Amino acid sequence: MNGRFVLVGSLLVVSMMWPSEGAINGDGLHWSILWLVSAAFGCWQVSRSSEAALRPDQGWRNIASRLSPFVVVAGVWLSVAHVFEIQADRRSALNVSFEWSAILAASVLFWQWPAAVFRQYCGRLMIGLTLGFAIMGIVQHHVVWEQRADWYLERMAAIENWEQTGSGAAAAKQAEGELVAEQVPLTGSAADTFRRRLLDSSEAIGPFALANTLGGFLAAGLVLLVGMMSLAVSAVQPAPLVGKLNFEDVAASKITANSKSKRMWNTTTFFLPVVWALLIGYALILTKSRTAWVATAVGILLVLNSVRRNRDSLAVIGRQAGDDAKSQSLVGQSTVSAARKSNALFGKAILAVSLVASGLIVVGVASGAIDREVLLESPRSLRFRLMYWMGTSDLLVDNAVLGTGPGNFRNTYLQYKLADSSEQILDPHNLPLDTYCSAGLLGLIGLLLFVGTPFLGRVRKGVARQTVDQEAEQQAVRPVECRGSVFNSRMLLAVAGCAFVLFVAWEWFNGADLLSEFLRLPDGRFLVLVIPAGVVLLAMTMVKNWQVDRVVFRSAFVALLVHLLGAGAFQITAVGLILMCLHRGSCDCLSSVAEHQTTGGSRKIDRQFRWGAMWNWSGLLVFGLLAVVVVVVGLIPARAAERALGASRQAQASGKRGSAVSIVDDGILADQFDVKLRQQKAELLTYSLIAEIAVRDDSAQNLGIIQQGTQQVLAACDDWEGADLTGHRPFVLRSRVWESLWHLQGQKDQLHSAIAEMKRAVERYPTNVESLSRLAMLQNDAGLNHEALAMAENALQQEKINRTWGHAELYLDSDVLEQLNQIVNSKW
């Protein structure tokens, strides 16, 4: 068990040390392969184990709990088949489906441990991860973003100095190359948006690309930590009450327990967990994620209420244990007193949490982490999400069975996007809608089953969950769980060490200069090393006999789900992994035949072993084959395309256009499904041709060169469109080329071709104000008065909406607005 936990735990840690929002690009396929190989190895090891052959047990609750992830992944692969059928973005669909297959493999591994052992080790591991996230986010807010802003301003100053004075050409060229290499936009509205966000935003994002992603993890981890501390506070319980009560023994046991509790709550063991909770809470404030704040409040309330109910249930058990009238009377009085104390303690806990939260908010305001806009824009943010959900609902009406396919939401959504919403979002910012779009109706059914199974088997209010005799019998049947009740900190230290080695080895394999990256701390990518450091800190300071039970896991599970009702999730690998982990800890089903072999005869046990062997050998075969497929179809072509894209951008920044195109062509040959390479080639050829047309005349020699360039551009746009038939950008580029040719040669068919291509772009993206305005001007040039008037009015109306909502990145230039107004006024 120890070796498997180190392997799985280190994979869980290292899977959190990269921006997993890039899973759609295949950035995490190497970790997916390790998950699949580990699952295959785990199935093989369990199939040879003498303890038990694990399989979905005969109880329907256990079957539903363990099979719900399989239903979700089955829906994903059905949607991938749909993506291939309609020829949408197949590379993104494959990347996301491979990632979710790895998440399924992780779920299988999680279910190979008894529930209690899993909770004690993985619960602490998740808290340690959260502590590392919090430290990283705090450093980002107070140090890193300021450094990156200075870096950006220095390079932009070099470029502006060269443009204004003509001096410092070498420095400007180097600065431009560095900005292009980091994919920083240099011109247009994209550059203005990037500059504004970099200089004005300081949200903590941790190892991720979005603050909302970090907020969800901090919320779940903080709930786990608060839950563990709450269980430790309420751990002082009377001795088991069986038969006739001996109140002298009970009083003695209380005194002994209280003395042990005081020794447990010394300065070190109490102070450090509180410090960790405050650090996580402060980092949560720095994310400015309002959905994460609400989710944390819900999770902590659930934890405190569950602890209170647990104490009441124990009192009911004690009351039922007395067998004479005197005992019943005394226990009844004790029960009432215990209930009052429990309610008072619950109220005090709520007050303490509220005061701490208020203090953290005050600190956030004082440090500038929370400004006036964060609170005032909450209704605005909610309204935008409602717009996203309404547009997504219209989309799902037309794609009700298979959805849009994993990684293919954006292009389809643009056809249904409401005019008032601004962003070209990658996901609907809602977990059920996101799952429906990415995995179809079957995936949504699997998600509902996944969310519901942790709540199966709950007891009714006021009824004790188990009698003392049943509890004793259960502990006799589950010796493995008793042995795992005390935590071994060396396990987490080994997990953190293995995660560090895996991360550094992968960086070294990809050519990273480790020495320079370490010297660049805290601005370098090795800032993420504080994540395994957080695991080490927790392992060395957390009280070993503290417990993490099902109630705490379920509260954290609910907290993360509440957050994901307003945040993206399905295309973010880390979210899926943590959901699987919390789901496993929230389910209280038996895990092996050995744990319930007393409930059936030998024939039943033999049958279970046979089914278990078939289950695990099937897992070995499927996960092993999937690992090979991911290597051949996923990792190798995706890495080749990534290298080609980066080299092409470097060549473009150096002014080597021909070399950049040649590099892209090599990347396209390596990955037949990649869309970004084809987009890079089409845009590079298009803008180069437009610039060339602008400086040439219509001589025969020039026309030959232009005609050849036009054929290359149109072929590149056709190739791009063929890689993803749902996009609108290829039509825009073709329209731009035909428009430039019309300005040079003046042929009407060229103008009509430009209009036809722009119409197709508007059909794919009806609320794009730039396409609307360009189409209106083209129609006006062609003498299509009525069409030009209607399109110009649509463009001006969309511009008005954008300015009303403050979508500054979408504003039209003043000269374009003047031309649109001229079209409208001239037609009247």
Side-chain angles (χ1 to χ4, degrees), residues 648 651-652 654-663 684-689 692 712:
S648 174
Q652 183 183 357
S654 302
K656 302 176 182 179
R657 185 183 67 86
S659 177
V661 174
S662 177
I663 293 172
L684 182 59
L685 292 175
T686 299
Y687 296 131
S688 299
L689 178 63
E692 191 172 357
Q712 292 178 347

Side-chain angles (χ1 to χ4, degrees), residues 585-602:
S586 302
C587 295
D588 201 24
C589 306
L590 298 177
S591 297
S592 67
V593 176
E595 290 178 329
H596 60 330
Q597 57 186 1
T598 59
T599 61
S602 58

Side-chain angles (χ1 to χ4, degrees), residues 413-417 761-769 772 791 794 798:
Y413 167 77
L414 293 179
Q415 303 176 38
Y416 301 88
K417 185 175 79 71
V762 170
E763 289 174 359
R764 295 284 179 87
Y765 190 178
T767 59
N768 189 319
V769 66
L772 291 172
M791 199 58 59
N794 288 341
Q798 185 63 49

Side-chain angles (χ1 to χ4, degrees), residues 344-368:
L345 181 62
F346 178 71
K348 292 178 181 179
I350 295 295
L351 179 60
V353 171
S354 301
L355 291 175
V356 171
S358 301
L360 290 174
I361 292 175
V362 170
V363 173
V365 172
S367 66

Side-chain angles (χ1 to χ4, degrees), residues 422-658:
S422 61
E423 293 183 84
Q424 302 177 24
I425 53 176
L426 282 172
D427 56 74
H429 291 62
N430 178 272
L431 179 60
L433 290 177
D434 198 0
T435 305
Y436 197 172
C437 291
S438 300
L441 185 59
L442 181 62
L444 179 62
I445 294 173
L447 175 68
L448 297 177
L449 195 63
F450 178 82
V451 171
T453 47
F455 302 94
L456 297 177
R458 290 184 298 173
V459 298
R460 291 174 293 179
K461 185 177 180 180
V463 179
R465 279 176 285 194
Q466 291 173 325
T467 65
V468 177
D469 292 336
Q470 290 172 333
E471 178 67 21
E473 180 182 356
Q474 185 186 51
Q475 293 295 337
V477 176
R478 298 189 180 185
V480 178
E481 296 194 11
C482 296
R483 292 196 300 269
S485 60
V486 178
F487 175 71
N488 184 357
S489 61
R490 289 177 296 179
M491 298 288 289
L492 281 194
L493 297 177
V495 165
C498 289
F500 171 83
V501 171
L502 284 173
F503 181 80
V504 173
W506 179 251
E507 293 292 327
W508 174 81
F509 179 78
N510 285 278
D513 188 345
L514 301 183
L515 181 60
S516 66
E517 293 291 348
F518 274 110
L519 293 177
R520 282 179 55 205
L521 284 174
D523 189 37
R525 74 183 69 176
F526 277 82
L527 177 61
V528 297
L529 293 182
V530 300
I531 295 175
V535 176
V536 171
L537 280 175
L538 189 101
M540 297 177 65
T541 58
M542 187 58 67
V543 182
K544 293 184 178 181
N545 60 353
W546 283 10
Q547 302 294 310
V548 189
D549 69 357
R550 180 192 181 191
V551 169
V552 174
F553 259 90
R554 193 166 59 189
S555 300
F557 185 63
V558 170
L560 185 55
L561 290 176
V562 170
H563 171 69
L564 294 178
L565 291 177
F570 201 85
Q571 300 178 54
I572 305 175
T573 307
V575 174
L577 283 173
I578 296 301
L579 278 174
M580 293 297 172
C581 188
L582 293 175
H583 177 263
R584 173 64 186 105
S586 302
C587 295
D588 201 24
C589 306
L590 298 177
S591 297
S592 67
V593 176
E595 290 178 329
H596 60 330
Q597 57 186 1
T598 59
T599 61
S602 58
R603 182 178 301 178
K604 183 177 181 180
I605 296 174
D606 291 340
R607 184 170 64 252
Q608 291 169 352
F609 268 99
R610 288 196 299 270
W611 277 103
M614 292 177 58
W615 173 264
N616 287 289
W617 282 109
S618 299
L620 169 64
L621 178 64
V622 171
F623 289 127
L625 288 177
L626 264 177
V628 175
V629 171
V630 174
V631 171
V632 176
V633 182
L635 182 63
I636 294 176
R639 293 292 296 168
E642 181 185 356
R643 287 193 295 268
L645 192 61
S648 174
R649 285 171 176 160
Q650 290 284 357
Q652 183 183 357
S654 302
K656 302 176 182 179
R657 185 183 67 86

Side-chain angles (χ1 to χ4, degrees), residues 152-398:
Y152 171 77
L153 291 176
E154 287 176 3
R155 279 142 188 82
M156 291 302 299
I159 296 174
E160 292 172 359
N161 178 63
W162 175 69
E163 292 176 347
Q164 294 173 3
T165 65
S167 61
K173 187 175 182 180
Q174 180 181 358
E176 183 177 354
E178 292 178 3
L179 291 171
V180 171
E182 294 293 328
Q183 303 182 31
V184 177
L186 301 177
T187 59
S189 59
D192 295 336
T193 302
F194 178 86
R195 183 187 185 96
R196 185 172 60 254
R197 288 182 176 177
L198 179 62
L199 300 182
D200 297 341
S201 301
S202 58
E203 293 92 345
I205 63 174
F208 310 108
L210 300 171
N212 256 345
T213 307
L214 176 62
F217 286 114
L218 294 177
L222 184 57
V223 171
L224 284 174
L225 180 55
V226 171
M228 180 183 286
M229 296 171 66
S230 301
L231 289 176
V233 171
S234 62
V236 180
Q237 299 169 354
L241 305 176
V242 181
K244 186 174 181 179
L245 293 175
N246 187 333
F247 291 100
E248 293 181 358
D249 294 340
V250 172
S253 67
K254 284 185 177 181
I255 294 174
T256 304
N258 282 324
S259 62
K260 291 181 179 179
S261 178
K262 290 179 181 179
R263 290 198 301 270
M264 180 185 72
W265 285 99
N266 57 43
T267 303
T268 303
T269 58
F270 174 76
F271 177 73
L272 287 176
V274 171
V275 170
W276 303 151
L278 291 176
L279 282 176
I280 296 171
Y282 181 57
L284 182 63
I285 295 295
L286 295 180
T287 64
K288 301 182 183 180
S289 175
R290 293 169 287 267
T291 55
W293 298 349
V294 173
T296 305
V298 171
I300 290 177
L301 285 174
L302 286 175
V303 163
L304 297 178
N305 184 58
S306 299
V307 170
R308 179 179 64 86
R309 292 180 60 187
N310 183 57
R311 293 173 64 91
D312 293 344
S313 298
L314 289 172
V316 171
I317 294 175
R319 185 175 183 177
Q320 293 174 347
D323 58 358
D324 58 6
K326 181 179 179 181
S327 297
Q328 289 285 356
S329 175
L330 292 175
V331 172
Q333 296 174 10
S334 177
T335 301
V336 173
S337 176
R340 290 176 179 175
K341 291 180 179 179
S342 179
N343 291 331
L345 181 62
F346 178 71
K348 292 178 181 179
I350 295 295
L351 179 60
V353 171
S354 301
L355 291 175
V356 171
S358 301
L360 290 174
I361 292 175
V362 170
V363 173
V365 172
S367 66
I370 301 178
D371 48 27
R372 188 166 173 264
E373 287 73 16
V374 173
L375 300 178
L376 294 181
E377 290 191 358
S378 297
R380 174 188 173 94
S381 178
L382 179 59
R383 290 183 67 180
F384 276 130
R385 278 168 169 73
L386 290 175
M387 294 176 191
Y388 301 156
W389 301 338
M390 291 170 64
T392 304
S393 299
D394 293 337
L395 179 154
L396 289 172
V397 170
D398 295 334

